[in-house]
Amino acid sequence: MKKILLFLFSTLLINMASAQKLSEDMFIENLLKQMTLEEKVGQLNQYSGNWKATGPNKVSANNVQEIEKGHIGSMLNVFGADVTRALQEHAMKSRLKIPLLFAQDVIHGFRVTLPVPLAEAASWDLTAIEKSARIAATEASAAGIHWTFAPMVDIARDPRWGRVVEGAGEDTYLGSQIAKARVKGFQGEGIGHTNSVVACAKHFAAYGAAMAGRDYNTVDISRRSLWETYLPPFKAALDAGVGTFMTSFNDLNGIPSTGNRYLLHDILRDKWHFKGVVVSDWGAIRELVPHGLCKDDKDAALKAINAGCDIDMESNCYNRYLADLVKAKAVSEETLDNAVRNVLRLKYKLGLFDDPFKFSNAEREKRELANPDHKKSAKEIAEKSIVLLKNDHETLPLSAKQKNIALIGPLVKSKADMKGPWAIQWDTDDDLISFYEGMEARIPQKTSLLYAKGCDINTTDKSGFDEAVETAAKADITIMVMGESFEMSGEARSKTDISLPGVQEELIKKIKSLGKPVVVVLMAGRPMTFSWTAEHADAILYTWWLGSEAGNAIANVLYGDYNPSGKLPITFPRSVGQIPIFYNAKNTGRPTPDENKISYGSAYIDSPNSPQYAFGYGLSYTSFKYSDLKLSSNQMLPSETLRVSCVISNTGKKKGEETVQLYIRDMYASATRPVKELKGFQKVDLAPGQSTTVNFIIDKETLSFYNQDMKWGVEPGTFKIMIGGASNNTPLEAQFDVI
Ligand code: NOJ
């Protein structure tokens, strides 16, 4: 009886789902039939309101007229319940009353600024990352936004590239897990819920492989590299239900992405069955001309739409030429209709045809923006994002013993830099907690703070050095807060020199020469090079840019209220000359230890091969021991699974979290494999003296790769397993065979 009821119930559910689908399809087809050619093109046309950092949104009168004619389908850079409502009212004056879509780059928070994405990736905490995206979505959707241009899931192995700050770092596995978490966070319970925003996997594809780390530059990579390294995070986002994709600016092996049918059609639609919207990056259709793929803007519109790019963001190419191209049959009606269907479907899923104003609710906006719960979570996520790179002689955590603390450096009192490159919605800097304010609030009663700026971020002026030295001389310990300004990483912020800018490292040297303990707190949106500091500072915290709650989070970590647990999601080179440098490199035919001399091995004569800090590295105020590695068998068939377990113990005196990392190596295969590939990780939280067993399951998927013929699968042979707390520190190792 139970089984029959269950069967009837599930049949009912299936029928309900298809009925809904039917009505969605019927609705869209019906609408499509009523649309003129110009109205169809209008749906594919996306314009920007004025760029807004502060102050009111401005939408030109011209735009308003175009909206009323149904010639604009979506807009970016307009937000606020009132502004979006007003614009939507104009859309409701159009003939078919098709609502507008409002999009925005909500990259690391909306009103409450969250840590930059690279910082959050350092937490390796998928729950926290998902929550962060949830907070951003809750606030953004309350301000009338339907769609965020995030997450950026580009793998980035070159810290010269300014946009490393927006992604999850260098690793495909970690990047894919984070891509899923972010999509889930943004889209919450699903597209259409009033506190969700539609996510966008960008930039499709391989934007992070820009040659020489120069933004927008050519990408020329092997098919293997594309499929193994750069595409998986996009597939992961798709599997998590991402609603949209954005094309990338770069050309990929000769074909610019925005006109690349192999990417946008063969992979995305045919192979991956993506049903959502593809939007071009800003002006990227027009850029097909300077790329040299197209004769003129009309040709660009033709190539982009035929490749599979649905929406034209700010190129104004579809708007001007698409109708003519359809009339001339250079673009089929079916191609146009399919693109329009994708856009209408998204609007339908959002529920905008039922209520175009459902996201423009001033009351909800007031309640959600800067909600104290969001701030609390922002602090917790910020704490988890901090990486302890060095801590000689247990310099940290600070305690009541340090009565006089000198705070020195250009970032001690900075608020603006805490916010990172994509802080879009804040009223005044009062909302951001500077490092100084965080310390003021946290220091024990009898502790005094002494302050000297010392120097600016990027200057040759050393006139503040003496005051800084005098200040440090009076203190028990000095904390130097150094790094980049928030404008130094991000889009169009590529650099050839990624060292600590200006004279900052010189100032560290001066202060260190006093012979007192020096803690260096480094803030940046990318890995910087700072080899002198790495060698001589007593302790180093890498905090990236942590957003609204930066000062509180850093002070809590310095005092050990939160025991740092971050691990680097990207390799820190010793010098730019080592770039690109990443942990999952190939062994080569001449693998060479860090010799730094002529050896006829694959090495440099003027630098070790090893980086300054490896992927996965990060310290804690406690220590962990890895032991008891066990494999359920030393052989497996591809159809079987293998259980790997080990014990982690907290051998120190403080409670702490460790990220247990599992790497594999396929020892020989029909195509060469990396020396290490991350295949799993788990965060454990242990009290002093406590131990726990961590289990991983190895299956066919874990061991598969693209073989010599680019076919995905596992080959029989020997595999090595490595487990530890960093890619260069895996004390547990074993081998097994796939038979
Ligand atoms: C250009 C950037 O590449 C992209 O990531 C962003 O979403 C758009 N501009 C819109 O602001």
Side-chain angles (χ1 to χ4, degrees), residues 672-698:
T672 59
R673 305 303 304 147
V675 287
K676 243 167 223 184
E677 287 177 90
L678 182 72
K679 290 292 177 178
F681 61 89
Q682 284 177 39
K683 274 197 108 160
V684 295
D685 192 356
L686 297 173
Q690 196 187 354
S691 296
T692 192
T693 301
V694 169
N695 293 297
F696 293 101
I697 300 291
I698 305 260

Side-chain angles (χ1 to χ4, degrees), residues 5 53 60 118 140 191 309 360 368 409 446 464 505 626 632 710 716:
L5 280 176
S60 72
L118 188 62
I191 297 173
C309 178
S360 307
E368 295 296 2
K446 290 188 179 143
E505 199 162 45
Y626 284 74
S632 55
M710 286 302 288

Side-chain angles (χ1 to χ4, degrees), residues 153-199:
V153 301
D154 296 308
I155 295 301
R157 292 167 157 188
D158 191 332
R160 291 173 299 184
W161 188 49
R163 298 197 85 170
V164 291
V165 64
E166 279 180 64
E170 77 184 35
D171 185 58
T172 301
Y173 179 83
L174 179 62
S176 299
Q177 304 305 313
I178 292 178
K180 278 192 223 164
R182 290 195 165 128
V183 170
K184 279 202 237 156
F186 285 131
Q187 297 191 171
E189 287 173 71
I191 297 173
H193 282 261
T194 31
N195 66 356
S196 296
V197 289
V198 180

Side-chain angles (χ1 to χ4, degrees), residues 9 58 118 141 233 247 254 262 266 310 312 486 511 579 667 674:
F9 183 63
K58 284 189 205 116
L118 188 62
S141 60
T247 68
Y262 171 64
D266 300 358
D310 300 326
D312 173 353
F486 81 96
I511 303 292
I579 298 170
M667 300 303 288

